[in-house]
Amino acid sequence: MRYSGRRVGSSRHPCPVDTIRTIAWMKEQARQARAESRIVGLVPTMGALHAGHLSLIERARRECSPVIASIFINPKQFGPNEDFSKYPRTFQSDSEKLRHAGVDALFAPEPSEIYPNGFSTYVNVDGLSDKLEGRSRPGHFRGVTTVVMKLLQIVQPNFAYFGRKDAQQSRLITQMARDLNLDTEIVVCPPVREPDGLALSSRNVYLNADERKAATVLYRALEAAKNELAAGVRDALQLQSSLRRKLDSERLARVDYAEVVDAETFEPVVRVNKPCLVLLAVFIGKTRLIDNFYIGPKSSSSEELVFHF
Ligand code: PAF
């Protein structure tokens, strides 16, 4: 594992990023880095990398050396009727992107390495895991927290980076790290968007041309809610009905949920007078997309709200 991000090799025959397939070797490499008092950063992914993932790597590179990315399409976080078998598998181009992004090592274990025969221990964040995404995707978060716990246990990074597009996932992982006294600091980074506002997601590749146009309705609905908040609306039901109206106006959209929740508990709020999240889950055709924005006070001494997309 090299730490500078510099690689030997020509542009025609670039060196692949250092790929680690086994837990034993990953542990040994991370242990050596820690023994040299290096700040280890981990960016867990399921591959199909886009600019959102690369922004996590960029942030990790500013704060850590070495930076390790993982690619593991975690079967345990997909429900029986979800897209595990058709989830985009783009290992070669992902590996190339990681090399360009200056990642020091890629941890890409096989499922049998992570879940050997007889595997039977799961991590679950009670309560939070059952709401919203958890209600629509039973068992999903148990799969996420189990695999993330394993990755954190294997690499024992100082920092691990997650995107706030998956707001509930990041909140759960932060809670898990706190509850289990992990030494890793969880860093949550803002989503990256297309110029028309669509949040980057590995699932955007499922959208056909009409659906891709329709998918901007999530951002348009969030923008409309933000404008109402900026105009002084604080009633959560009013905000939710305007989100619904906007989303329902798009023929290809079917709303799963559109809610304003407390940013800590993910419980619905009546009025927006504390840090909140506006959360959307919407089917565009067969593709389920999520998006959100965060509402918080401008500063600890201010009542003015700011919106983080
Ligand atoms: O957000 C993802 O890509 C996955 O849920 C994660 C955190 C890598 C766990 O498999």
Side-chain angles (χ1 to χ4, degrees), residues 67-218:
V67 172
I68 298 157
S70 64
I71 295 183
F72 180 66
I73 305 176
N74 175 30
K76 296 210 185 281
Q77 68 186 76
F78 290 81
N81 299 319
E82 293 187 347
D83 55 344
F84 176 65
S85 58
K86 72 166 189 164
Y87 197 81
R89 285 160 171 82
T90 52
F91 189 80
Q92 281 315 319
S93 68
D94 288 345
S95 163
E96 189 57 18
K97 284 178 188 167
L98 293 174
R99 189 184 67 79
H100 274 288
V103 156
D104 297 286
L106 164 59
F107 180 43
E110 291 297 326
S112 59
E113 181 75 2
I114 294 292
Y115 301 120
N117 284 340
F119 179 88
S120 58
T121 303
Y122 291 83
V123 178
N124 193 55
V125 179
D126 280 357
L128 260 178
S129 290
D130 302 326
K131 298 171 187 167
L132 297 154
E133 281 298 284
R135 198 176 52 216
S136 299
R137 305 181 65 190
H140 167 66
F141 283 131
R142 184 174 94 134
V144 170
T145 40
T146 299
V147 82
V148 171
M149 185 62 210
K150 285 195 63 124
L151 293 170
L152 295 179
Q153 176 62 21
I154 293 163
V155 177
Q156 297 185 27
N158 300 79
F159 296 93
Y161 297 82
F162 298 88
R164 204 231 316 130
K165 184 185 73 71
D166 298 291
Q168 195 174 355
Q169 167 174 285
S170 339
R171 173 72 192 87
L172 275 160
I173 292 169
T174 307
Q175 183 72 38
M176 174 183 81
R178 193 187 301 166
D179 288 348
L180 299 182
N181 308 103
L182 303 186
D183 287 330
T184 301
E185 186 173 321
I186 305 300
V187 183
V188 180
C189 306
V192 175
R193 296 176 182 282
E194 298 281 8
D196 62 7
L198 179 67
L200 295 189
S201 159
S202 303
R203 291 189 165 96
N204 291 353
V205 297
Y206 299 151
L207 302 168
N208 66 29
D210 288 343
E211 291 168 345
R212 172 63 188 80
K213 271 190 213 143
T216 59
V217 75
L218 280 84

Side-chain angles (χ1 to χ4, degrees), residues 8-45:
V8 184
S10 71
S11 55
R12 287 185 63 202
H13 300 288
C15 291
V17 69
D18 189 3
T19 303
I20 299 172
R21 297 283 184 183
T22 66
I23 292 172
W25 188 234
M26 184 67 261
K27 277 188 156 182
E28 175 54 23
Q29 294 286 288
R31 193 197 56 71
Q32 272 181 31
R34 285 194 309 277
E36 291 166 16
S37 302
R38 292 181 180 274
I39 308 290
V40 180
L42 175 67
V43 182
T45 81

Side-chain angles (χ1 to χ4, degrees), residues 167-282:
Q168 195 174 355
Q169 167 174 285
S170 339
R171 173 72 192 87
L172 275 160
I173 292 169
T174 307
Q175 183 72 38
M176 174 183 81
R178 193 187 301 166
D179 288 348
L180 299 182
N181 308 103
L182 303 186
D183 287 330
T184 301
E185 186 173 321
I186 305 300
V187 183
V188 180
C189 306
V192 175
R193 296 176 182 282
E194 298 281 8
D196 62 7
L198 179 67
L200 295 189
S201 159
S202 303
R203 291 189 165 96
N204 291 353
V205 297
Y206 299 151
L207 302 168
N208 66 29
D210 288 343
E211 291 168 345
R212 172 63 188 80
K213 271 190 213 143
T216 59
V217 75
L218 280 84
Y219 184 69
R220 287 184 276 124
L222 292 175
E223 270 281 313
K226 186 204 80 177
N227 291 339
E228 290 201 36
L229 278 156
V233 174
R234 294 292 177 267
D235 183 83
L237 276 182
Q238 187 176 338
L239 292 165
Q240 267 163 232
S241 36
S242 70
L243 285 166
R244 284 263 172 185
R245 252 195 324 278
K246 195 73 169 181
L247 294 167
D248 288 343
S249 71
E250 174 51 63
R251 189 178 51 87
L252 296 177
R254 182 167 56 80
V255 182
D256 184 354
Y257 59 77
E259 304 229 5
V260 185
V261 301
D262 181 301
E264 187 75 9
T265 64
F266 280 65
E267 283 296 326
V269 296
V270 177
R271 286 191 69 71
V272 178
N273 53 12
K274 54 186 162 187
C276 287
L277 280 157
V278 179
L279 298 172
L280 301 182
V282 181

